[in-house]
């Protein structure tokens, strides 16, 4: 049987590239579309070095429906879509809301618009635990209340979930699985692909590894006066390869018509909350490298604590986050060292 074809939008990005690897390893034919606004073409080489297979790559913008029409014509028989393509910087979204609403929503609308005519059976959508805001109770389940978004980025995720729900309710002949990621971290164990943020990192792990490398002087720990055991914020850090594997299961589920409902929503996290200070300690003991850090004031808009109840994904998808945090942090460090070897950073 010919391999089934899957379209991965944003597939040269951080999570998309790791997912492309897992899809290829599982025997799928992968077509990537990416406009390279937050990634580079070299990622395709990394995917090929890991898998021995070069995925098809279209450099293009998903907000342009004609580009997508041409892609479906050039690569017929696409059975599933995983939509990673989006702008994702929370702070930037507050300053440039139109860019965020247009990029994230037009991309999704165009894909949904073209699925039926092209016989696509399902779409996986990258959502976020940001939809839960500051939860009243942890861990959060899929039934926990959705809180008013605190940024245009977060709002695009909430609106996207609603758009998908409405389109499916209107009788669209395809299914959707919405995956709410907690905090994806780490890199592929080969160190051939990983997270490569543009400019000064806004997120904890890239800032931490760049500090450990001496690129940044000190990591700022944003607050130690929260209502948590050590006073620093708590998150659920999920290994990116573990996360990628859930997408392969989700795709299979839709292609096999095994979904229990036309639209399903799953939390993807480990179920364990880890504070910023604990994470620094775990990194230092896993790698033997010190991270100079200083406690500074709180970052505006930060959530105090959030972690997942992943039992629905564990039970229904048969998926579980398996990689210990120490190994995940070591993989992030190996990736940072590889960037240095390659003269990138
Ligand atoms: P990323 O920026 O590394 O990857 C997104 C990719 O999409 C990039 O390669 C970018 O060039 C591309 N892209 C953006 N707009 C596009 C467009 N209009 N057309 C074509 N390509 C476009 O981000 P990521 O961390 O891999 O995130 C993937 C998805 O997961 C995003 O939807 C993000 O919002 C979501 N998500 C990420 C996190 C996280 O912490 N990384 C958490 C929750 C949800
Ligand atoms: N932090 C620091 N110092 C830093 C960077 C972060 O102490 O230099 C702390 C933050 O205060 C937070 C934790 O590290 O407590 C994690 O922060 P990140 O910026 O790495 O991640 P967030 O949980 O704030 O946000 C991430 C994504 C968002 C997404 C959200 C929920 O960046 O896009 O998860 O999915 F919306």
């Amino acid at each position: 049987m010919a391999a089934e074809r899957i379209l991965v939008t944003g597939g040269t990005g951080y999570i998309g590239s790791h997912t492309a690897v897992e899809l290829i390893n599982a025997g799928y034919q992968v077509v990537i579309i990416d406009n390279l606004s937050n990634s580079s073409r070299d990622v395709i080489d990394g995917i090929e070095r890991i898998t021995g297979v070069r995925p098809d790559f279209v450099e293009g913008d998903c907000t342009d429906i004609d580009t997508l029409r041409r892609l479906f014509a050039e690569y017929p028989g696409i059975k599933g879509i995983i939509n990673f393509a989006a702008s994702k910087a929370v702070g930037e979204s507050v300053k440039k809301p139109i860019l965020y609403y247009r990029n994230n929503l037009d991309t999704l609308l165009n894909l949904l618009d073209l699925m039926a005519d092209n016989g696509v059976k399902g779409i996986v959508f990258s959502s976020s635990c940001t939809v839960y805001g500051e939860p009243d109770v942890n861990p959060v389940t899929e039934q926990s209340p959705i809180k008013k978004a605190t940024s245009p980025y977060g709002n695009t995720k909430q609106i996207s979930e609603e758009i998908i729900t409405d389109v499916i309710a209107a009788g669209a002949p395809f299914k959707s699985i919405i995956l709410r990621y907690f905090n994806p971290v780490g890199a592929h164990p080969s160190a051939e692909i990983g997270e490569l943020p543009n400019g000064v990192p806004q997120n904890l792990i890239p800032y931490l590894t760049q500090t450990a490398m001496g690129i940044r002087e000190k990591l700022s720990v944003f607050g130690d006066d929260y209502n948590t055991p050590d006073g620093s914020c708590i998150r659920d850090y999920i290994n990116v390869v573990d996360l990628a594997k859930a997408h392969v299961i989700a795709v299979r589920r839709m292609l096999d018509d095994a979904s229990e409902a036309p639209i399903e929503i799953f939390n993807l996290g480990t179920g364990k909350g880890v504070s910023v200070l604990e994470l620094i300690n775990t990194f230092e003991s896993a790698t033997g490298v010190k991270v100079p850090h200083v406690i500074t004031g709180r970052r505006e808009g930060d959530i105090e604590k959030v972690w997942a109840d992943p039992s629905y994904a564990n039970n229904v998808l048969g998926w579980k986050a398996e990689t210990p945090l120490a190994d995940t942090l070591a993989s992030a460090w190996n990736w940072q060292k590889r960037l240095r070897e390659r003269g990138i950073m």
Side-chain angles (χ1 to χ4, degrees), residues 88 90 128-130 153 181-183 202-205 207 219-222 233-235 237 276 299 302-303:
K88 65 160 184 177
V90 176
S128 165
C129 68
T130 193
Y153 166 76
Y181 314 151
F182 282 68
N183 285 53
Q202 305 298 310
N203 297 114
L204 178 60
I205 302 299
Y207 206 103
L219 170 70
S220 299
V221 174
F222 296 141
C233 292
I234 294 180
R235 296 288 184 277
Y237 296 95
V276 176
R299 179 172 68 178
D302 251 340
I303 303 292

Side-chain angles (χ1 to χ4, degrees), residues 206-228:
Y207 206 103
L208 183 154
T209 56
Q210 289 189 16
T211 306
M213 186 55 86
I215 300 166
R216 316 267 158 216
E217 197 185 330
K218 271 193 181 71
L219 170 70
S220 299
V221 174
F222 296 141
D224 68 349
D225 56 352
Y226 284 98
N227 182 24
T228 60

Side-chain angles (χ1 to χ4, degrees), residues 2 23 28-29 58 141 161 204 208 228 251 264 272 285 321 344:
L23 285 167
Y28 292 97
Q29 226 181 83
V58 174
T141 71
E161 291 196 2
L204 178 60
L208 183 154
T228 60
V251 161
E264 294 182 309
K272 193 170 179 299
S285 44
I344 295 172

Side-chain angles (χ1 to χ4, degrees), residues 37-59:
S37 57
N38 197 33
S39 56
S40 93
R41 193 181 280 277
D42 303 347
V43 173
I44 300 291
D45 300 330
I47 296 170
E48 185 179 13
R49 281 195 294 273
I50 297 169
T51 62
V53 176
R54 195 168 182 83
D56 292 311
F57 176 64
V58 174
E59 181 178 344

Side-chain angles (χ1 to χ4, degrees), residues 12-334:
T12 47
Y14 174 46
I15 308 168
S17 57
H18 289 81
T19 302
V21 164
E22 297 308 316
L23 285 167
I24 293 169
N25 286 344
Y28 292 97
Q29 226 181 83
V30 171
V31 182
I32 289 174
I33 178 166
D34 202 298
N35 64 2
L36 304 180
S37 57
N38 197 33
S39 56
S40 93
R41 193 181 280 277
D42 303 347
V43 173
I44 300 291
D45 300 330
I47 296 170
E48 185 179 13
R49 281 195 294 273
I50 297 169
T51 62
V53 176
R54 195 168 182 83
D56 292 311
F57 176 64
V58 174
E59 181 178 344
D61 198 314
C62 298
T63 61
D64 178 20
I65 198 159
D66 289 330
T67 299
L68 290 174
R69 282 204 181 96
R70 282 195 297 274
L71 183 151
F72 278 109
E74 194 180 341
Y75 299 97
I78 289 172
K79 291 278 177 293
I81 298 175
I82 309 183
N83 181 30
F84 293 106
S87 305
K88 65 160 184 177
V90 176
E92 187 187 48
S93 80
V94 176
K95 296 198 185 85
K96 300 178 181 171
I98 293 174
L99 187 150
Y100 273 68
Y101 286 113
R102 185 167 282 152
N103 197 39
N104 296 5
L105 300 182
D106 281 357
T107 290
L108 176 66
L109 289 168
N110 286 344
L111 293 168
L112 293 171
D113 205 3
L114 295 175
M115 285 176 69
D117 283 351
N118 290 282
V120 184
K121 293 188 74 172
I123 181 164
V124 178
F125 179 74
S126 301
S127 190
S128 165
C129 68
T130 193
V131 301
Y132 301 117
E134 180 77 63
D136 302 323
V137 180
N138 276 295
V140 292
T141 71
E142 291 79 0
Q143 279 69 48
S144 295
I146 302 295
K147 297 279 179 68
K148 185 173 162 37
T150 53
S151 70
Y153 166 76
N155 208 19
T156 68
K157 294 299 175 191
Q158 295 192 4
I159 296 170
S160 295
E161 291 196 2
E162 287 172 356
I163 290 173
I164 296 170
T165 307
D166 289 347
V167 169
I168 300 260
F174 51 78
K175 299 200 163 54
S176 181
I177 294 184
I178 291 172
L179 301 177
R180 292 180 180 154
Y181 314 151
F182 282 68
N183 285 53
V185 292
H188 194 269
S190 64
E192 294 287 0
I193 54 174
E195 188 174 11
L196 188 51
N198 285 335
V200 180
Q202 305 298 310
N203 297 114
L204 178 60
I205 302 299
Y207 206 103
L208 183 154
T209 56
Q210 289 189 16
T211 306
M213 186 55 86
I215 300 166
R216 316 267 158 216
E217 197 185 330
K218 271 193 181 71
L219 170 70
S220 299
V221 174
F222 296 141
D224 68 349
D225 56 352
Y226 284 98
N227 182 24
T228 60
D230 65 22
S232 64
C233 292
I234 294 180
R235 296 288 184 277
D236 184 336
Y237 296 95
I238 160 104
N239 178 280
V240 69
V241 176
D242 289 346
L243 186 73
K245 287 179 178 164
H247 294 75
V248 181
I249 297 172
V251 161
R252 191 67 264 151
R253 187 172 171 84
M254 293 188 299
L255 267 49
D256 286 346
D257 287 320
S259 304
E260 283 167 8
I263 175 162
E264 294 182 309
I265 301 182
F266 296 97
N267 282 344
L268 296 181
T270 66
K272 193 170 179 299
V274 173
S275 75
V276 176
L277 292 170
E278 282 173 324
L279 187 128
I280 294 169
N281 282 336
T282 310
F283 178 89
E284 289 182 341
S285 44
T287 61
V289 180
K290 287 278 170 212
V291 183
H293 58 277
V294 58
I295 311 285
T296 61
R298 294 182 175 196
R299 179 172 68 178
E300 205 191 323
D302 251 340
I303 303 292
E304 180 172 271
K305 46 182 179 267
V306 59
W307 66 93
D309 176 344
S311 51
Y312 188 53
N314 296 164
N315 298 333
V316 174
L317 297 181
W319 168 90
K320 201 169 188 314
E322 280 166 347
T323 313
L325 183 60
D327 295 2
T328 300
L329 296 177
S331 74
W333 178 233
N334 288 338

